[in-house]
Amino acid sequence: MKNFLADLFSNQSYNKNNFFLIAGPCVVESKDLVFEIAETVSGLCRKLEIPYVFKASYRKANRTSANSFTGLGDISGLEIIKSVGTQFQLPTTSDIHAHEEAAIAAEYIDILQIPAFLCRQTDLLEAAAQTGKIVNVKKGQFLSGPSMKFAAEKIANMGNDKIMLTDRGNTFGYQDLVVDYRNITWMREIGYPVIMDCTHSLQQPNQTGGVTGGNPQLIGTISKAAIATGAEGLFIETHPNPAVAKSDGANMLQLNLLEDLLYQLVEIRYAVAKQYS
């Protein structure tokens, strides 16, 4: 595990051979919801010795429809995320969409996440790097794994080597994505921890109704294959009732299904740990 990740998880008890998990709801819908999810997931991760980062977006800027829910307000959302981290002693993350957001968000969260569509946005990457926070860059749906070295270089050139790279599939036609697991190997060769986004890689974007579809029943398939091919971390959005979620409900794993999946993933990780250590 990279030194900056060891520092990030220094107050958690975990198995050093385990993967780490980034999980939470798509967006901050309410304080009660995010606390319910954080309490459940953190309990599971403690039991299974999985290092855990709580994730929720304080604002969803990249919605298909202008009528979609975008958040409770930036500062309100960030304050709720920070309160989760404080209450459950967890590192936290959220995505930012413009360079001026980086310094503001960095006051509340531990990892700045760069959305896939913005992974080549130089001013955004540089602003995130300058905060000194960990920067997690999602690979664009239009990019290959090896090309992510250029995004990483933009951050590293600002004197920040606390970088993570996340795969979230590649565009396949107009309304689907596919995962090329070669990209996990190729991005690992760049030299930074690699994460598989098991939620958004199953999106079915550009639906005519203005709401993105998805295949959450395949989250297990995507995550198991990612662990087997060397991903150090998994990104899974989860919700107690995805059918009523205010954002990306079609992609999220129902919260009560997470425990069984994590047990399976831990077994796979232990089986392959020596190969990727």
Side-chain angles (χ1 to χ4, degrees):
M1 182 176 286
K2 291 281 188 180
N3 288 340
F4 69 83
L5 286 179
D7 292 340
L8 183 71
F9 299 124
S10 61
N11 67 343
Q12 297 186 40
S13 177
Y14 61 89
N15 188 307
K16 65 181 180 62
N17 290 320
N18 230 332
F19 61 92
F20 63 89
L21 178 67
I22 301 175
C26 179
V27 65
V28 175
E29 298 180 19
S30 70
K31 185 173 182 178
D32 287 345
L33 176 78
V34 297
F35 268 66
E36 176 187 355
I37 295 171
E39 182 176 22
T40 299
V41 180
S42 61
L44 292 174
C45 288
R46 283 195 301 271
K47 181 164 61 175
L48 293 170
E49 299 183 294
I50 300 170
Y52 173 44
V53 177
F54 175 80
K55 180 270 168 187
S57 295
Y58 63 88
R59 172 160 54 92
K60 299 301 292 183
N62 53 341
R63 301 294 82 195
T64 300
S65 170
N67 298 319
S68 296
F69 177 77
T70 58
L72 301 174
D74 290 3
I75 300 303
S76 295
L78 284 165
E79 287 178 341
I80 290 172
I81 295 170
K82 184 175 182 178
S83 69
V84 169
T86 301
Q87 175 70 27
F88 298 100
Q89 291 297 292
L90 297 171
T92 58
T93 186
S94 191
D95 37 6
I96 60 173
H97 299 86
H99 68 275
E100 60 267 21
E101 293 179 39
I104 298 169
E107 296 181 15
Y108 296 88
I109 60 178
D110 302 289
I111 302 171
L112 300 179
Q113 181 174 285
I114 308 299
F117 281 127
L118 299 176
C119 69
R120 299 197 303 174
Q121 199 74 14
T122 301
D123 63 345
L124 178 59
L125 293 169
E126 291 180 345
Q130 287 173 330
T131 67
K133 296 286 186 174
I134 299 170
V135 183
N136 177 24
V137 189
K138 288 194 173 182
K139 182 183 73 61
Q141 302 93 317
F142 44 86
L143 292 177
S144 67
S147 65
M148 285 298 288
K149 69 178 182 180
F150 301 110
E153 284 174 356
K154 291 177 182 180
I155 299 167
N157 287 343
M158 303 302 293
N160 186 342
D161 63 355
K162 294 183 287 187
I163 301 165
M164 304 192 297
L165 303 176
T166 295
D167 191 12
R168 50 97 18 105
N170 285 82
T171 300
F172 185 75
Y174 289 106
Q175 296 176 323
D176 209 354
L177 294 163
V178 294
V179 177
D180 181 351
Y181 286 95
R182 296 177 299 175
N183 284 324
I184 291 178
T185 297
W186 288 330
M187 288 196 293
R188 280 173 55 88
E189 291 173 353
I190 298 172
Y192 301 104
V194 173
I195 302 158
M196 184 71 226
D197 183 340
C198 307
T199 301
H200 296 97
S201 58
L202 290 165
Q203 278 186 333
Q204 292 180 312
N206 306 318
Q207 301 296 310
T208 55
V211 178
T212 298
N215 290 292
Q217 71 276 12
L218 295 175
I219 288 174
T221 301
I222 296 292
S223 57
K224 292 171 189 176
I227 292 297
T229 49
E232 288 108 320
L234 297 177
F235 178 107
I236 299 176
E237 289 186 341
T238 184
H239 193 284
N241 186 0
V244 301
K246 294 183 178 180
S247 179
D248 276 2
N251 303 296
M252 285 192 279
L253 183 70
Q254 191 162 307
L255 186 59
N256 63 3
L257 301 177
L258 183 62
E259 181 173 10
D260 184 57
L261 176 59
L262 290 179
Y263 270 103
Q264 295 176 52
L265 293 170
V266 166
E267 290 185 7
I268 295 170
R269 176 61 183 173
Y270 290 169
V272 301
K274 289 183 179 180
Q275 180 179 352
Y276 296 110
S277 61

